[in-house]
Amino acid sequence: MIDKFVRPSAEEINNVHTRLFKSTLTLSKLKDAAIGGRLLKPSDDPIGVVGRSMIWKLLLCENEPLKPPAQDTPTLSLKFWQESRKTYVDALLDKMQAPDGSYHEGLIIPGVESPPKFNQTPVKNLEKNNPLSLDTENPWTAWFASVELRKTILQDVERTFPEVGYFRDPEVQSDLTNILFIYSLRNPTLGYRQGMHELLALLYYACDFDSISEEQAAHLGDNELGDLLSRTWVTADAYTLFLAVMRGVGRWYEWREPPAPLHEGSPSPNSGSVGIQPYVAPIVEACNRIQSTYLKIVDPDLWKHLQASGIEAQIYGIRWLRLLFTREFGIPDALLLWDGIFACDPTLELAKWICVAMLIRIRNQLIPSDYSTQLTFLLRYPPPPVQNLASSTASEQPFTAHHVTLLLRQALSLQISPTVATGASVVYENRNLLNIAPEVPEPPPPPTKRRAEQGRTSAINGGPLRMLQRPMHVRYGSSGSLGLPDIAKNIMDRSESFGINRTVLNAVSEIKRNLPDLSASFNASQGQPASFQLLDGKSAEQRPPWEARSRFEVEKEMAELIKLQQKLGDSLEWILETFSQEDGDEPAILRKQQALKSLTYAKDVLKGTVPIVDDTKLFDEKALRARENTQAGTPATSQVSHGSGHSPLLSSSTSTWLDAQKTATSQTDNLRRARGLGHSSSSPSLSGTSFLRPPVLPRTPWTPVSDKSASTDTFAEPNHPKPQQRSASSPSRPIRTETSAAKSPIQHDPLGVLT
């Protein structure tokens, strides 16, 4: 972070003022020196330059008619700045006053020592003029809207240039917020737009850096210089400079069509006349002109590659123009560029040609790159080579121009003579001064494809099988070599004429190029089953709600639900066994109490009120230890009985689905056998690719099993048997019954376990 902010001494400011305004330097020479970067000397401050605000005030805000350059002496009019300061104070008092006459606490008015007075005026109509009124003419409605606008501006101001500690000062943030707030209210058509705060911040910094206190002005003995650069009026002077800059940049911040006054006999905007063109935002029109007109004229080769890649000029042009290149270059370089732009043309038409010169400078990176790489260079503009900025050896020509000054000079040349020859001269000038080769490098080769190993074998069907190498696909340049029939060939030729073939092939190649990286990053994720390696790496909470879940997520969720159902089934089985025991001793009573708590906890799990299931609440300590021992003895790799062998190609999640399918099938057979229907005629197939389908839970309603030949109460086991009792040989679990004293009638049981 740049925390250093030390204003220059009054003597340094006075010397620069004398050299600029009290010497033989004419206005034309001053502008030429500003364009060439020779007017101002850098200071110890990383951003500030002594006298920069005086130059900007002269170039942007002097509205007097200019004299011939040979006789013109640059001067700053004190009268003009006194009037502009009074205008800002009046606007501040007007816009910052609430409808009841009060002001915001802590408001500081420049040039006024005491805070503004509370001018309370009697309210004539309380039905319209009170904070709680819903009347459309209530002045408090506009006041509350302005308060919200001020909050929005303050949020952006607090984020202005976070690397510069000067803009973290609360007083500086308050002044910047007041200036933007007054500007937005005095220009309601445009209002406040994001990005204005960065332009204003640099203008304010320059004014504050050159400011002089009253004590310093008295020490110099120059009252006029003290009034021109008074520290009291930094905010008002920055506001005036901001107005001047927005006269050129403001059109690029327009986002809606301004209301045009209707004259008598003129057509209405909504009348649907043929002669009325649809509204196009000025920033969009400027960006399109930069790429589709200017660049096409001076560098047609670069224009063709950008058009072929589908690069829209608005992607980079909006930020370049609205922020005047403060994001593409460092702040010192951007301010040096501002000096030349303000000296050339205060209307900022030169900024469009600066964009063209910037594109030509990085043409060697843009032409051989694909779409994503081109966006990277355009949105993160590369700096010039570091070694070229230093002085070269004696045998070489020394570096004589700053890269920003060179860019400004090239933009002027392109604006004066927009031809291919001028564009070529810019390319060779970059070679001579920046060591940028005029020849475009070859595009990087595509990634090599991995061929299948010739000696790779696979143990399928119990024997080795040599994998056949697939034929390599060729990227055809035309449809004639595809070997298609005549009709298909005509269709392909037609699609090729429209560029469809090339678009599809480019998209496919882009996907193939990114697929290995995606697969590698997904495989590197830890704690994720092998069947779910193609997830996007984001949890369900991190993704937006409108993004659909993938098939792997659904299957994973189904597998987790099956495991949870098995766990609840084991818990209910233990609960039933506990309740079936006699109440002979105290430990049995305690176990039943624990079983009742576990039953309540299982009910909460089924209702979805428990985010994470705790096994210690579903079983007692003894049952939980027995269940853990049983799971520890289960093989880690699930095996599916299929003939006499086992398939090692099934993952753990796939085995879980198969176990669920076999369990559901065995339970269905038991129910059909109890009803006298016999076995089911079909069973889930484990051959082919059917095991990849998501598991489907059985929806057959549970029917209690009763034995009419004996006086017993039958307890049907839960629908989920224990894991150790599931096998390929005996998939179903026998029904356990327990004799009671008398036969009880069958009652409705919500849990489906008692009859």
Side-chain angles (χ1 to χ4, degrees):
M1 177 180 289
I2 304 176
D3 295 329
K4 184 179 180 181
F5 178 74
V6 180
R7 297 185 181 91
S9 63
E11 288 76 11
E12 292 179 318
I13 298 176
N14 187 25
N15 294 335
V16 174
H17 180 266
T18 302
R19 182 174 63 87
L20 294 177
F21 301 99
K22 295 182 180 181
S23 63
T24 59
L25 189 65
T26 62
L27 183 60
S28 59
K29 292 182 179 179
L30 186 146
K31 290 183 177 180
D32 292 340
I35 295 173
R38 305 181 307 272
L39 182 62
L40 302 174
K41 297 180 180 180
S43 62
D44 296 335
D45 188 272
I47 301 178
V49 174
V50 183
R52 173 163 279 159
S53 65
M54 293 184 280
I55 297 298
W56 288 354
K57 290 177 181 179
L58 175 66
L59 298 175
L60 294 175
C61 302
E62 292 298 323
N63 53 3
E64 296 180 356
L66 299 178
K67 299 178 182 180
Q71 304 176 0
D72 185 23
T73 300
T75 56
L76 290 176
S77 175
L78 179 60
K79 180 181 178 181
F80 171 81
W81 289 100
Q82 289 176 347
E83 294 176 354
S84 64
R85 292 165 181 173
K86 184 178 182 301
T87 302
Y88 175 73
V89 171
D90 295 341
L92 197 63
L93 291 173
D94 180 29
K95 301 300 182 181
M96 298 295 290
Q97 186 179 19
D100 61 351
S102 62
Y103 289 93
H104 186 270
E105 184 179 358
L107 177 64
I108 299 177
I109 305 298
V112 180
E113 297 181 356
S114 59
K117 298 180 180 180
F118 179 74
N119 300 326
Q120 185 175 7
T121 57
V123 180
K124 298 180 181 179
N125 189 354
L126 289 176
E127 294 182 358
K128 292 184 178 180
N129 188 1
N130 73 82
L132 301 179
S133 176
L134 299 178
D135 193 274
T136 56
E137 299 179 358
N138 183 15
W140 285 95
T141 303
W143 170 256
F144 292 143
S146 65
V147 171
E148 294 298 324
L149 173 62
R150 184 178 175 83
K151 292 180 180 179
T152 303
I153 295 174
L154 182 59
Q155 290 178 356
D156 291 342
V157 168
E158 290 175 347
R159 297 192 294 263
T160 302
F161 296 116
E163 71 277 6
V164 183
Y166 172 79
F167 297 110
R168 309 282 76 79
D169 187 359
E171 184 177 352
V172 174
Q173 293 179 354
S174 177
D175 291 342
L176 295 177
T177 304
N178 291 338
I179 294 175
L180 294 172
F181 178 73
I182 297 301
Y183 176 82
S184 61
L185 293 184
R186 290 173 65 94
N187 299 271
T189 303
L190 181 60
Y192 169 76
R193 307 296 295 173
Q194 213 170 33
M196 296 180 180
H197 61 289
E198 295 192 11
L199 298 177
L200 174 62
L202 298 178
L203 298 173
Y204 185 93
Y205 189 98
C207 292
D208 194 13
F209 189 76
D210 291 338
S211 62
I212 298 177
S213 63
E214 296 180 359
E215 294 79 7
Q216 291 176 331
H219 178 71
L220 290 175
D222 191 345
N223 295 330
E224 182 179 358
L225 181 61
D227 292 339
L228 281 173
L229 304 178
S230 175
R231 193 164 298 168
T232 305
W233 300 103
V234 168
T235 307
D237 293 350
Y239 173 75
T240 306
L241 282 176
F242 182 69
L243 289 179
V245 173
M246 290 305 295
R247 281 196 290 268
V249 184
R251 63 184 184 274
W252 296 331
Y253 281 93
E254 293 181 7
W255 54 282
R256 58 184 176 183
E257 184 177 6
L262 296 178
H263 303 284
E264 185 177 358
S266 61
S268 174
N270 299 325
S271 60
S273 302
V274 178
I276 297 179
Q277 299 294 332
Y279 173 74
V280 179
I283 183 63
V284 177
E285 183 179 0
C287 293
N288 292 335
R289 186 176 296 274
I290 289 172
Q291 181 169 312
S292 301
T293 303
Y294 297 160
L295 184 63
K296 183 179 180 181
I297 294 174
V298 299
D299 196 341
D301 191 18
L302 176 58
W303 171 80
K304 289 179 182 178
H305 284 82
L306 293 180
Q307 290 295 108
S309 300
I311 295 292
E312 296 290 341
Q314 296 90 328
I315 297 177
Y316 60 90
I318 290 178
R319 191 176 73 177
W320 290 10
L321 294 177
R322 283 184 174 179
L323 301 182
L324 285 182
F325 316 105
T326 55
R327 296 285 184 88
E328 284 61 51
F329 306 103
I331 296 180
D333 294 343
L335 295 182
L336 184 62
L337 187 61
W338 285 17
D339 296 338
I341 294 176
F342 297 159
C344 293
D345 185 10
T347 61
L348 306 183
E349 285 295 327
L350 184 62
K352 301 177 183 178
W353 290 100
I354 293 177
C355 296
V356 178
M358 291 171 62
L359 293 174
I360 296 177
R361 178 171 292 185
I362 60 173
R363 68 192 308 271
N364 288 356
Q365 287 93 342
L366 296 177
I367 292 178
S369 303
D370 55 0
Y371 178 83
S372 58
T373 310
Q374 289 175 350
L375 282 185
T376 302
F377 288 120
L378 293 173
L379 298 180
R380 297 181 181 178
Y381 194 78
V386 179
Q387 64 273 14
N388 295 329
L389 298 180
S391 60
S392 57
T393 60
S395 61
E396 298 177 355
Q397 182 181 1
F399 186 84
T400 58
H402 194 276
H403 69 95
V404 170
T405 305
L406 178 63
L407 187 70
L408 186 64
R409 188 173 64 190
Q410 293 172 351
L412 284 171
S413 302
L414 294 172
Q415 185 182 27
I416 295 173
S417 177
T419 60
V420 178
T422 308
S425 65
V426 170
V427 172
Y428 284 98
E429 193 174 23
N430 291 333
R431 182 198 64 179
N432 297 332
L433 298 179
L434 298 178
N435 287 338
I436 299 177
E439 297 82 7
V440 178
E442 294 293 332
T448 58
K449 299 181 180 180
R450 296 181 179 178
R451 296 186 177 182
E453 298 180 2
Q454 296 291 339
R456 188 175 180 182
T457 58
S458 174
I460 301 178
N461 296 330
L465 176 65
R466 185 173 299 275
M467 298 183 65
L468 299 178
Q469 184 178 358
R470 291 176 297 177
M472 299 296 293
H473 293 279
V474 182
R475 186 171 178 176
Y476 295 95
S478 62
S479 61
S481 57
L482 294 178
L484 299 176
D486 294 339
I487 299 177
K489 180 179 178 182
N490 295 334
I491 296 176
M492 295 296 293
D493 292 339
R494 188 147 192 165
S495 63
E496 184 176 3
S497 64
F498 289 108
I500 299 176
N501 296 352
R502 183 178 61 182
T503 303
V504 174
L505 291 175
N506 290 340
V508 173
S509 62
E510 187 72 18
I511 294 174
K512 288 183 177 180
R513 182 161 51 252
N514 296 332
L515 189 58
D517 298 335
L518 295 175
S519 178
S521 61
F522 294 150
N523 294 339
S525 59
Q526 299 180 357
Q528 196 173 17
S531 297
F532 310 114
Q533 292 175 357
L534 295 180
L535 294 175
D536 58 358
K538 296 182 180 179
S539 62
E541 295 78 6
Q542 295 175 344
R543 285 200 308 263
W546 59 82
E547 185 174 325
R549 296 187 302 171
S550 64
R551 168 197 166 194
F552 301 100
E553 292 176 328
V554 176
E555 293 175 351
K556 181 180 179 181
E557 183 179 355
M558 292 296 297
E560 291 177 352
L561 287 177
I562 292 175
K563 292 181 180 179
L564 179 60
Q565 290 178 356
Q566 293 175 353
K567 186 183 299 182
L568 292 176
D570 295 341
S571 176
L572 293 177
E573 182 181 7
W574 167 75
I575 292 172
L576 291 176
E577 292 177 354
T578 304
F579 279 118
S580 63
Q581 297 176 359
E582 298 181 358
D583 300 340
D585 51 359
E586 184 176 355
I589 298 176
L590 295 177
R591 288 197 66 187
K592 289 186 177 182
Q593 292 177 356
Q594 176 65 28
L596 184 60
K597 293 180 181 180
S598 299
L599 183 62
T600 305
Y601 184 76
K603 181 261 297 181
D604 295 336
V605 172
L606 291 173
K607 292 180 67 176
T609 58
V610 179
I612 301 177
V613 180
D614 187 3
D615 293 350
T616 59
K617 296 183 180 181
L618 290 175
F619 306 92
D620 64 350
E621 185 176 355
K622 181 179 179 181
L624 182 61
R625 187 163 49 250
R627 187 172 183 272
E628 292 176 352
N629 295 334
T630 304
Q631 291 181 350
T634 305
T637 305
S638 300
Q639 297 178 352
V640 180
S641 177
H642 185 62
S644 59
H646 302 285
S647 175
L649 302 178
L650 302 180
S651 62
S652 58
S653 56
T654 307
S655 303
T656 305
W657 305 335
L658 292 172
D659 293 341
Q661 290 179 353
K662 292 188 297 182
T663 304
T665 305
S666 61
Q667 292 171 358
T668 305
D669 291 340
N670 292 337
L671 295 176
R672 295 174 64 89
R673 189 186 302 110
R675 298 174 185 174
L677 299 177
H679 294 279
S680 58
S681 59
S682 62
S683 61
S685 175
L686 301 180
S687 61
T689 58
S690 61
F691 65 94
L692 294 178
R693 301 175 184 173
V696 180
L697 298 180
R699 299 183 177 272
T700 307
W702 183 85
T703 305
V705 180
S706 61
D707 189 1
K708 297 182 179 181
S709 62
S711 177
T712 58
D713 290 337
T714 304
F715 291 88
E717 287 297 315
N719 291 339
H720 301 282
K722 289 186 177 180
Q724 67 270 20
Q725 293 174 341
R726 286 183 283 116
S727 63
S729 58
S730 59
S732 61
R733 178 181 175 87
I735 300 177
R736 178 177 55 84
T737 60
E738 189 167 318
T739 308
S740 60
K743 181 179 180 181
S744 59
I746 298 176
Q747 300 178 355
H748 175 68
D749 181 16
L751 295 178
V753 296
L754 300 176
T755 57

